[in-house]
Structure formats: C-alpha cells, structure tokens
Amino acid sequence: WFVKINIPVTKRIIPPDLDIRLIFFLKFLENNKNLKIVKGDIRDLELLKKSIFNHDIIIHLACISNDPSFELNPILGKEINLDSFLPLVKLSKESGIKRFIYASSSSVYGIKKEKNVNEDMLLEPLTDYSRFKADCEKILFEYISKDFSAVVLRPATVCGMSPRMRLDVSVNMLTFQALKNKKIGIIS
C-alpha cells in the first residue's frame, strides 16, 4: 500500500502484514513499526517511482486543503493539487498499481438548492481548490482500464477531536468557542 491519510484512521488501519509507504509524513505516525516513512514531495517523480514500486493500491490524499490555505499561495496550490496529479496517475498505471483511490471533495458540487446532493448531480465548483479537485477526477477516470481501477471519494467536512485540529473549519471553531468560552461568538 502507498498511503497518506488522516492520523486517527491511519493508526487504526495499519495491519501487521502489509508493507505501507507514507510520503508527506506527519510526526504523529512516526512510531509504528509497520509503517515506512518516506519524506518527500508529491512533485518528485523519481521519489514516487521508487516508493510506489511493487505496491497495489494508492490512496491519494495529498493536497493544499481548503480554500483559505489554497489562497495563501495559489501557484503552489495548483502545483500540488493539479499539476502533480496527472504524472502520478500515469506513473501509477505504468508501475502496475491496480487501484487508485482519490480523495476529492464535496466542494466540487458547489452550492445546490436541492436538499439531498448526490453523485449524479452536475459538478459546479466555485473556487480553484474545488475546480482542481473536479479536474483531477476527470483525469483519473480517463485512465481507468481492466487493470487499473479508480475510486473517487468526495468527503464532506467532518468535526471532532484530532491530534491536528482544524480550527479553520466553522463547525470546529464554533464547538471550540462553546467549550472554552461557554458561548459562541457570531460576527455579521
């Protein structure tokens, strides 16, 4: 396996009989004997070539996530979130990867009037972050074959405790304010 995934999930899913490589490491996972940490960059094709060799599955979660972080450096955001994607997909297919799992985002739907948004709806991304996520989905689907399957996940924002709390997410920020201050501040 070749994986970059969130910390609580990763700590639970590392079985003792798998060879797992993690690129773009997080210090919270350093002490797991079943995990080989490869420090690197998603744009480094030579490193990726060495790291994905002899693996079956890629779970791709590397990105500059969320709009505020993306807007801090749009050029870097595009390099990480879009430009590096096609080379990785091509390399994966050439290297014999059997399944490519891509973490997209529910933000690819844009703003909908319908109550129940589903996968059959038109993608209407509103920002570069969500547009690049949608573009990567299209790229990945072009490479599907009998020997190379693709899965796209479009997770919504979730809340809850984590070693790396996302206090830029409104629901987490409001929960933190409620717990710490016993009140929630609204600025309008």
Side-chain angles (χ1 to χ4, degrees):
W1 280 48
F2 177 82
V3 62
K4 191 265 181 204
I5 196 167
N6 76 45
I7 298 154
V9 171
T10 303
K11 285 182 176 180
R12 291 187 189 116
I13 68 167
I14 299 177
D17 59 340
L18 287 182
D19 174 23
I20 300 174
R21 307 282 167 96
L22 173 74
I23 295 185
F24 322 107
F25 89 105
L26 301 170
K27 66 180 181 174
F28 302 99
L29 297 172
E30 287 178 326
N31 297 322
N32 189 307
K33 63 183 167 85
N34 298 320
L35 178 67
K36 179 179 180 188
I37 295 172
V38 179
K39 295 181 185 181
D41 188 310
I42 190 77
R43 298 167 292 178
D44 183 346
L45 276 182
E46 288 306 311
L47 175 69
L48 294 175
K49 196 178 292 185
K50 287 185 242 172
S51 300
I52 69 174
F53 179 75
N54 216 14
H55 287 81
D56 297 320
I57 300 171
I58 286 187
I59 303 174
H60 183 299
L61 295 160
C63 73
I64 304 294
S65 59
N66 71 51
D67 294 319
S69 296
F70 192 91
E71 290 167 4
L72 289 173
N73 189 336
I75 293 169
L76 178 65
K78 183 176 183 285
E79 288 175 5
I80 300 294
N81 293 13
L82 180 62
D83 297 342
S84 64
F85 191 77
L86 177 58
L88 177 59
V89 171
K90 285 181 175 180
L91 178 64
S92 299
K93 192 164 182 173
E94 291 165 6
S95 300
I97 297 295
K98 294 176 180 68
R99 175 166 286 179
F100 194 107
I101 302 171
Y102 176 59
S104 183
S105 170
S106 61
S107 67
V108 297
Y109 294 113
I111 298 171
K112 300 288 188 197
K113 292 180 182 173
E114 298 84 2
K115 283 186 177 183
N116 297 314
V117 177
N118 64 61
E119 293 87 4
D120 297 324
M121 292 183 158
L122 182 65
L123 302 186
E124 299 175 296
L126 301 174
T127 64
D128 283 343
Y129 168 76
S130 58
R131 269 189 288 281
F132 295 159
K133 287 289 191 180
D135 290 344
C136 288
E137 290 184 21
K138 290 176 198 164
I139 290 167
L140 182 58
F141 290 142
E142 289 174 14
Y143 283 82
I144 292 175
S145 68
K146 66 180 181 73
D147 299 320
F148 185 77
S149 67
V151 176
V152 170
L153 305 173
R154 293 180 181 152
T157 299
V158 295
C159 62
M161 291 302 294
S162 172
R164 291 183 64 215
M165 282 300 294
R166 292 272 317 275
L167 294 177
D168 61 313
V169 176
S170 297
V171 70
N172 286 344
M173 184 176 60
L174 295 172
T175 302
F176 176 75
Q177 286 179 5
L179 290 171
K180 183 176 183 274
N181 305 327
K182 306 293 185 229
K183 62 182 178 180
I184 298 173
I186 305 291
I187 299 171
S188 62

